[in-house]
Amino acid sequence: MSEGAVGGADAAGVGSARENSIRGIGFFLAAMTVFALQDGLSAYLASQYAPIFVVMIRYWALAALVLAISARRPGGLRAAARTRRPLLQILRGLLLAAEITLTIFIFAELGLAASHAIMAVYPLLVAAMAWAFLGERLDAVRWGAIGLGFLGVLVILRPGLEAIDPLALGALLGAAMFALYAILTRVASRDDPASVSFFYTGVAGAVGASLIGPFYAEPIALRDWPLMGALCLSGALCHFLLIKAYEATEAARLQPYAYWQLALATLIGVFAFGEPLLFWTVLGAGLIVLGGLIGAAQERRALRRDAGCGGV
């Protein structure tokens, strides 16, 4: 092959990678948009009905999607349910259902803007938990990013200057639960494929919510049925968009764009629910996002270095 042909192939490869990256980012931003809209729906519905009841209905829709997708794959439902870590997979599913229930309760009581400002610390919590539980190494830059994120949380909570709102601590607990879910997912991925984890996420969560949700069931007002339907459909759409995004490009490239959900959810909270946008909340959220961006950039550099691409 001639030198020009090699150069042409390299250019085509770079162009294809760039196109895939742009497509992946587009799908990811769309997913974050739907997630933010879903959070707005959840906040409203959780203010009208018991959060666990809302979560139960949402999980019924997710479980139906999971079962339909799993049944169409090679081996069907039996293959999807075959796991080497059954207790871990069930724990993952139950933990996520509990985290979602807590989160939408916090959305309804504390507000979307303040909740998301605190919960934006979750990627930094994942990094810290990966160091503590999985033995992953963290360099000085990543530790600095984690410290910056926690400084942002302290700015929002302002301990010692005024009484800490228990709901704000609930938002922080929700972020920690979601981070732990991510760590358990990493552990499960060592033994099970993603399709198995996806199956247990939907089915175990639906079973867990169905054990408690019926005790809090109540008639749904006619005006709320379209919103409940939109909530269920949005969950399926989010999963589809995320799958397409991760098919197109790597997770480290997408992570910085996750903060679009924070921005959009804040706008929904302010303009749809009339939430106040406090200076300390904005400042703290800014520090958390900055820490997250620094951590994501360092992760990308590490991945490229490991792949032999240097720091380019």
Side-chain angles (χ1 to χ4, degrees):
M1 184 180 291
S2 68
E3 196 172 299
V6 172
D10 289 344
V14 171
S16 177
R18 184 177 294 112
E19 290 175 3
N20 287 338
S21 179
I22 293 173
R23 186 167 64 253
I25 291 170
F27 279 122
F28 193 74
L29 287 174
M32 294 302 103
T33 299
V34 177
F35 270 125
L37 295 174
Q38 182 177 254
D39 290 343
L41 290 170
S42 296
Y44 167 75
L45 291 169
S47 70
Q48 305 298 312
Y49 310 96
I52 185 61
F53 177 57
V54 176
V55 169
M56 180 181 70
I57 295 177
R58 175 174 163 178
Y59 259 97
W60 285 350
L62 176 59
L65 171 69
V66 168
L67 292 172
I69 292 175
S70 299
R72 294 174 61 88
R73 286 178 172 156
L77 295 177
R78 181 171 296 182
R82 190 178 299 122
T83 172
R84 297 180 180 179
R85 307 290 295 272
L87 293 179
L88 176 63
Q89 291 287 13
I90 292 171
L91 177 61
R92 281 181 58 256
L94 294 177
L95 177 63
L96 182 61
E99 183 272 330
I100 292 174
T101 304
L102 172 62
T103 297
I104 69 170
F105 169 76
I106 297 297
F107 285 165
E109 298 296 327
L110 183 62
L112 288 174
S115 299
H116 271 280
I118 296 171
M119 295 185 70
V121 78
Y122 120 82
L124 301 173
L125 288 174
V126 171
M129 288 184 181
W131 169 79
F133 300 133
L134 303 182
E136 295 185 8
R137 295 180 61 186
L138 293 177
D139 55 28
V141 174
R142 287 176 183 165
W143 276 119
I146 291 171
L148 189 60
F150 281 107
L151 175 61
V153 172
L154 290 176
V155 168
I156 295 173
L157 298 179
R158 284 169 290 163
L161 298 180
E162 58 182 58
I164 297 177
D165 189 341
L167 292 171
L169 293 179
L172 186 58
L173 175 60
M177 291 171 68
F178 194 61
L180 180 58
Y181 167 79
I183 294 298
L184 294 179
T185 300
R186 285 192 191 180
V187 175
S189 68
R190 297 172 178 175
D191 297 304
D192 293 331
S195 57
V196 172
S197 293
F198 182 54
F199 176 86
Y200 280 94
T201 296
V203 174
V207 171
S210 298
L211 292 176
I212 304 174
F215 295 102
Y216 295 88
E218 56 185 298
I220 299 175
L222 186 61
R223 69 177 185 277
D224 291 334
W225 272 110
L227 299 178
M228 192 70 80
L231 179 66
C232 294
L233 290 176
S234 66
L237 181 57
C238 287
H239 280 92
F240 171 77
L241 292 170
L242 283 178
I243 289 170
K244 298 299 291 183
Y246 289 126
E247 281 178 352
T249 191
E250 67 270 17
R253 184 179 296 274
L254 297 174
Q255 183 56 45
Y257 299 94
Y259 294 109
W260 168 239
Q261 182 184 358
L262 166 63
L264 186 55
T266 299
L267 291 176
I268 292 173
V270 171
F271 291 103
F273 294 96
E275 298 173 8
L277 196 56
L278 303 178
F279 168 77
W280 294 109
T281 301
V282 174
L283 177 60
L287 292 173
I288 293 170
V289 170
L290 179 59
L293 293 176
I294 292 172
Q298 187 70 0
E299 177 69 17
R300 284 187 60 190
R301 281 193 289 269
L303 288 174
R304 289 183 175 185
R305 188 165 55 248
D306 292 344
C309 299
V312 180

